Amino acid sequence: MIVRRLLSRTATVIAIRASSVQSKTVPCRPPHHSPIHLPPPPPSFAVARRGFAKRKSSKYDDDEGQVEVVPNIAPAAKAAASSQMEAALTALSQQLTKLRTGRASVGMLDHIIVETGGVKMPLNGVAVVSVIDAKTLSVTPYDPHALKEIENAIVTSPLGLNPKVDGERLIAAIPPLSKEHIQAVCKVVSKSSEEVKQSIRRARQKALDSVKKAGSSFPKDEAKKFEKEVDDLTKKFIKAAEEMCKAKEKEISQG
């Protein structure tokens, strides 16, 4: 009995050891001929990359969240036109002052240039001109030594005056105008009137063109209002020029 028990235990131990050895025998790598296949990337990867692509612009992008500010050019254009018209009227006044009439006026010698001490200056910068009466002018130099130069400048001017020395001043008598001279001077006045009116109209057109260049950004009702304001301004300056020229023609005709 004892021998049988020992044999049975021995057989059991051997069987247990054999099974443990078989369980530990695991291949360390797959067969050489077996390919390794990686799984494909998930679909969400492609979707994520597409999210970084540049978005196409839309024709409504400029209208959403943005407000275009259009400057109002009307006041500046109107001011510029008014300044140009005023300058044209001033130039006309200066031109008419140069024309000799039968009456004495302080400004009729302003355009005469006097050279004294090697320097050229307008006569009203070197002397004081005053009216003694309707037919006589007085010219008093600031520097008495310049009396001769002033006299020569007046004589050589197209006014046809012959001043006389009276102490430290000059006395210039205004001779009466001939009929031919009156007609010639009136033609000059008429020509000057037309030239200044053309300048005023050009200033008007320039102002209107500046608004037209703005195109649709300038409202139509505002454009009509602006055009009316500029037209009124144009009429105002043209009327002033006509009145100025008529007054000068009247002065010339009365001799």
Side-chain angles (χ1 to χ4, degrees):
M1 292 294 290
I2 295 172
V3 172
R4 290 180 178 177
R5 290 179 179 177
L6 290 172
L7 291 173
S8 177
R9 289 179 180 178
T10 303
T12 302
V13 170
I14 293 172
I16 292 172
R17 289 180 177 179
S19 62
S20 64
V21 170
Q22 291 179 356
S23 62
K24 291 181 179 180
T25 304
V26 180
C28 61
R29 60 182 180 180
H32 180 69
H33 65 275
S34 300
I36 299 175
H37 298 284
L38 297 176
S44 60
F45 178 76
V47 175
R49 289 187 62 185
R50 185 177 300 175
F52 291 99
K54 185 178 180 181
R55 185 175 65 87
K56 293 183 177 180
S57 60
S58 171
K59 65 179 181 179
Y60 299 106
D61 288 349
D62 293 338
D63 297 335
E64 295 178 358
Q66 296 183 8
V67 178
E68 184 180 0
V69 179
V70 179
N72 186 4
I73 62 175
K78 182 180 177 181
S82 178
S83 177
Q84 293 170 8
M85 294 177 185
E86 185 68 39
L89 203 63
T90 301
L92 174 64
S93 176
Q94 295 174 350
Q95 182 66 27
L96 296 180
T97 302
K98 297 177 183 180
L99 301 177
R100 185 172 75 86
T101 65
R103 296 178 61 85
S105 64
V106 174
M108 68 186 301
L109 304 181
D110 288 351
H111 66 284
I112 296 178
I113 301 299
V114 180
E115 183 174 358
T116 175
V119 179
K120 293 182 178 181
M121 297 181 63
L123 188 142
N124 58 6
V126 296
V128 176
V129 180
S130 58
V131 177
I132 297 177
D133 54 47
K135 298 292 183 179
T136 312
L137 285 175
S138 171
V139 181
T140 305
Y142 295 123
D143 181 6
H145 296 91
L147 189 64
K148 190 63 178 179
E149 288 84 353
I150 295 173
E151 180 184 2
N152 291 335
I154 295 174
V155 171
T156 56
S157 73
L159 295 177
L161 303 180
N162 292 296
K164 305 297 180 181
V165 178
D166 181 23
E168 293 184 350
R169 68 174 184 173
L170 296 172
I171 302 297
I174 310 300
L177 299 178
S178 64
K179 184 178 179 179
E180 291 76 12
H181 186 81
I182 291 175
Q183 291 176 350
V185 174
C186 286
K187 287 182 180 180
V188 173
V189 173
S190 179
K191 182 179 179 181
S192 299
S193 176
E194 289 302 321
E195 288 176 350
V196 74
K197 284 190 285 187
Q198 289 177 7
S199 297
I200 292 172
R201 294 189 184 102
R202 282 195 296 268
R204 169 191 176 274
Q205 190 60 47
K206 186 176 180 180
L208 296 181
D209 289 344
S210 64
V211 171
K212 288 181 181 179
K213 289 180 181 178
S216 59
S217 62
F218 199 83
K220 291 184 178 180
D221 54 343
E222 291 294 330
K224 290 181 179 179
K225 180 182 177 182
F226 174 75
E227 184 175 357
K228 184 180 183 304
E229 291 177 352
V230 174
D231 285 343
D232 292 341
L233 195 67
T234 303
K235 293 176 182 178
K236 172 187 173 183
F237 278 97
I238 287 181
K239 182 180 179 181
E242 290 176 344
E243 291 178 350
M244 189 181 297
C245 290
K246 287 180 180 179
K248 190 65 177 182
E249 289 178 349
K250 183 180 180 180
E251 181 183 351
I252 295 170
S253 299
Q254 290 178 350

